[in-house]
Amino acid sequence: MESCKACTAAVCPFPHDIEMACPVRAQFEKKRCYSRKLADYYTSRQQSAAPDDKKISDRTITRLRWYLTALNGFIEQGTVRVSSQDIGRKVGVKPGLIRRDLSHFGEFGRPSIGYDAVFLRDRLQDILHLDNAKIIVWVGPRRLAEDASLMGRFAEQNCHVAALFSTDPEWIGRNIAGMEVHPVSSLSEKAMALGAQGAVIEVPPEKAQSVADLLVLAGVTAMLNLTSAVIVTPPGVVVRNVDVAAELSALSYYCGTKDKRE
Amino acid sequence: MESCKACTAAVCPFPHDIEMACPVRAQFEKKRCYSRKLADYYTSRQQSAAPDDKKISDRTITRLRWYLTALNGFIEQGTVRVSSQDIGRKVGVKPGLIRRDLSHFGEFGRPSIGYDAVFLRDRLQDILHLDNAKIIVWVGPRRLAEDASLMGRFAEQNCHVAALFSTDPEWIGRNIAGMEVHPVSSLSEKAMALGAQGAVIEVPPEKAQSVADLLVLAGVTAMLNLTSAVIVTPPGVVVRNVDVAAELSALSYYCGTKDKRE
DNA sequence: GGGTGTGAAATTCTTCACAGCC
DNA sequence: GGCTGTGAAGAATTTCACACCC
């Protein structure tokens, strides 16, 4: 069996150990080497993703979201005109940086006036593509079952959960939020058929990478990783991690630096 | 009533609108100006926090956590020696960067050999202060009540939930995981008495900032914000945000960039 | 051979400061 | 007066490449 380690870097861009992906290999690849197929797919993606528009940093995107919630706050309380300073005070970002962030996408304000709150809000929603609907699949819908409000909060962002999957036989066939939970073996096929663009991954950590690989094959370009595992994807596929326990351990570091006397 | 906006920047480092903090002001400050008191506190913190050891970037800390989980994986499967390349493949980070990250804290590897997995794991735990216990308080323990496993996962990181609070009268007095939920009015006092270092904030978004202010006053230096609100704190106090819906909207941006034909 | 640790270069991100506008 | 948008300077972070070690 070929593994990623057997490839030279020039040939195989497969960035992680093949073992992590193996458990599900048989589902879509019977006799040939899995790593090669996935590797090919990875490189093809890489090339097609390259001629993207100018790269906007991850952090900028995060901040744009902050601005958006700040703006919604202003609008709610009836404010019509806001300056970068107003926003900055609310989200703890220097006014200059806000202007720079926005300038990547156009000119939305007017000198000496500031920004029109509603107009800027709408532009931000444009920029974040919140206006056009996205189809996402959810693998391991435990959290979804627990917190029914999530579905609604996702819908607010124009993200529509189109299918549910699980690696746990016990969950398969169950009905959550009016949708049936499918086995992960049908993930690649169904996700592709639905044209899913995004996915939420919430499976046992050791299965996370293999699920992600399946999603990449299905053409999903954005994933939310609720697992404690680190997921590796080819360039062009974005993963964001949300792990309460892990974040806490990061805080641990800062807690410790405080008291050096102890 | 004095507001933050009335201060000049030179005098008042209070970084956000005073209105956000007002609802709870009466609880610990009867007659004098709240913003001034909090501002004073903020500056005193700022000075005392300044002579910290060399600043380690936020991102480095996040990566160290990744390395830690990768190492645990290696150890579990019996690997004794690992190279930066091994780790890098698993977490999608270039080997050079891993070495640079580690070099901030000492020399843990040996040329031509690599790192001893267990040794490095232990050092990482040291660095992240995972060895000494931390006391944290939880404001708005909804999630905690839902997902009992969280308590255990926190304990793994040596974080011990010492007290629960809520802004919702309906929750006060309830018993969760063997602990009573206290009203937020006693938060400052109790947190200080417990010597809490960290906190989890999970309240309605509009109350998040005021709760954070109370925590700052109580000496808490690290917070996990499960709210959709952006929380502003003085330098020296770290906030990490965990918001599933918000992360999704960030993904929205990346979903959209994919298809430019549509 | 392979692997670490680290100066120095390269790149990316943020701040500053000011022209231009109202 | 105040505010935006942006070139240029400044910081920070990442990559490169090589000395050194086994």
Side-chain angles (χ1 to χ4, degrees):
Chain A
M1 185 206 312
E2 229 177 287
S3 96
C4 183
K5 283 184 172 172
C7 308
T8 71
V11 174
C12 172
F14 196 48
H16 56 82
D17 288 343
I18 181 65
E19 299 86 49
M20 304 178 75
C22 274
V24 288
R25 180 178 54 195
Q27 289 159 17
F28 60 95
E29 179 63 60
K30 287 295 195 307
K31 41 190 74 131
R32 299 296 308 143
C33 170
Y34 165 61
S35 88
R36 171 54 60 104
K37 180 169 180 181
L38 192 48
D40 288 349
Y41 194 86
Y42 271 31
T43 35
S44 76
R45 279 224 115 274
Q46 188 161 0
Q47 280 152 7
S48 72
D52 225 325
D53 8 10
K54 52 178 173 275
K55 260 219 308 283
I56 300 297
S57 106
D58 207 48
R59 278 150 147 193
T60 299
I61 300 300
T62 305
R63 284 193 298 267
L64 290 179
R65 250 177 31 216
W66 295 352
Y67 307 158
L68 184 57
T69 70
L71 278 172
N72 279 325
F74 281 123
I75 291 169
E76 212 164 291
Q77 71 185 54
T79 314
V80 173
R81 292 264 161 78
V82 294
S83 69
S84 54
Q85 204 168 115
D86 294 335
I87 303 174
R89 206 199 315 265
K90 214 151 192 165
V91 300
V93 173
K94 292 215 171 75
L97 185 51
I98 296 180
R99 295 203 298 277
R100 161 93 48 217
D101 283 340
L102 294 175
S103 76
H104 290 133
F105 302 96
E107 307 187 2
F108 307 129
R110 287 204 322 193
S112 136
I113 305 285
Y115 302 91
D116 180 288
V118 173
F119 177 72
L120 185 55
R121 193 258 312 261
D122 291 347
R123 300 324 306 265
L124 283 177
Q125 290 185 337
D126 282 0
I127 293 167
L128 294 172
H129 304 288
L130 254 32
D131 48 333
N132 59 337
K134 272 124 346 229
I135 297 168
I136 71 176
V137 296
W138 196 303
V139 189
R142 199 181 93 90
R143 183 87 184 277
L144 189 63
E146 259 167 11
D147 188 348
S149 81
L150 272 181
M151 204 76 162
R153 286 167 68 198
F154 280 10
E156 274 171 34
Q157 327 258 357
N158 228 332
C159 289
H160 303 284
V161 180
L164 308 180
F165 300 87
S166 180
T167 55
D168 184 350
E170 199 169 313
W171 280 78
I172 291 165
R174 269 161 85 160
N175 195 300
I176 293 176
M179 310 177 82
E180 191 190 335
V181 179
H182 298 286
V184 82
S185 59
S186 62
L187 173 57
S188 239
E189 179 198 354
K190 281 213 173 70
M192 206 176 311
L194 286 165
Q197 297 153 296
V200 181
I201 303 177
E202 190 192 352
V203 297
E206 64 276 12
K207 291 178 185 158
Q209 181 68 59
S210 63
V211 168
D213 289 340
L214 289 173
L215 289 165
V216 168
L217 280 172
V220 170
T221 52
M223 314 182 189
L224 198 55
N225 176 22
L226 269 43
T227 304
S228 62
V230 180
I231 290 178
V232 186
T233 55
V237 178
V238 182
V239 179
R240 315 254 327 186
N241 299 294
V242 175
D243 182 0
V244 180
E247 289 300 323
L248 199 65
S249 87
L251 287 184
S252 213
Y253 170 78
Y254 297 104
C255 284
T257 50
K258 172 185 152 195
D259 31 27
K260 50 196 67 160
R261 63 193 176 282
E262 169 177 317
Chain B
M1 185 206 311
E2 230 176 286
S3 96
C4 184
K5 283 184 171 173
C7 308
T8 72
V11 173
C12 173
F14 196 48
H16 56 81
D17 286 343
I18 182 65
E19 299 86 50
M20 304 177 76
C22 274
V24 289
R25 178 177 55 194
Q27 289 159 17
F28 60 95
E29 179 63 58
K30 288 295 195 310
K31 42 190 75 136
R32 299 297 307 146
C33 169
Y34 166 61
S35 88
R36 170 54 60 102
K37 181 170 181 179
L38 192 47
D40 288 350
Y41 194 87
Y42 271 31
T43 35
S44 77
R45 282 222 115 275
Q46 188 162 1
Q47 281 152 6
S48 72
D52 226 325
D53 7 10
K54 53 180 172 272
K55 261 218 308 285
I56 301 297
S57 104
D58 206 49
R59 270 140 150 207
T60 300
I61 300 300
T62 304
R63 284 193 300 265
L64 291 180
R65 251 179 28 216
W66 296 353
Y67 307 158
L68 184 56
T69 69
L71 278 171
N72 280 325
F74 281 123
I75 291 169
E76 212 163 290
Q77 72 185 54
T79 315
V80 173
R81 293 264 161 79
V82 295
S83 69
S84 53
Q85 204 168 117
D86 295 334
I87 303 174
R89 205 198 316 264
K90 214 152 193 164
V91 299
V93 173
K94 291 214 171 77
L97 186 50
I98 295 181
R99 296 204 298 278
R100 161 88 59 218
D101 282 340
L102 294 175
S103 76
H104 289 133
F105 302 96
E107 307 188 3
F108 308 128
R110 287 203 323 191
S112 137
I113 305 285
Y115 302 90
D116 179 289
V118 174
F119 177 72
L120 185 55
R121 193 256 313 258
D122 291 347
R123 300 324 306 265
L124 283 176
Q125 290 185 337
D126 282 1
I127 292 167
L128 294 172
H129 304 288
L130 255 32
D131 49 332
N132 58 338
K134 272 127 341 234
I135 297 166
I136 70 176
V137 297
W138 197 303
V139 189
R142 198 181 96 91
R143 183 87 184 277
L144 189 63
E146 259 166 12
D147 188 347
S149 80
L150 273 181
M151 204 77 162
R153 286 167 67 199
F154 280 9
E156 274 171 34
Q157 327 258 358
N158 229 332
C159 289
H160 303 284
V161 179
L164 309 180
F165 300 87
S166 180
T167 55
D168 184 348
E170 200 169 311
W171 279 77
I172 291 165
R174 271 160 83 161
N175 195 299
I176 293 174
M179 310 177 81
E180 191 191 336
V181 178
H182 297 287
V184 82
S185 58
S186 62
L187 172 57
S188 239
E189 178 198 355
K190 281 213 172 69
M192 206 177 310
L194 286 165
Q197 297 152 295
V200 180
I201 302 177
E202 191 192 352
V203 296
E206 65 276 13
K207 291 179 185 157
Q209 181 67 58
S210 63
V211 168
D213 290 339
L214 289 173
L215 289 165
V216 168
L217 281 172
V220 170
T221 52
M223 314 182 189
L224 197 55
N225 175 24
L226 268 46
T227 304
S228 63
V230 180
I231 291 179
V232 186
T233 55
V237 178
V238 182
V239 179
R240 315 251 331 183
N241 299 294
V242 174
D243 183 359
V244 180
E247 288 301 322
L248 198 66
S249 85
L251 286 185
S252 215
Y253 170 79
Y254 297 104
C255 283
T257 52
K258 172 185 152 194
D259 30 27
K260 51 196 65 160
R261 63 194 176 281
E262 170 175 318

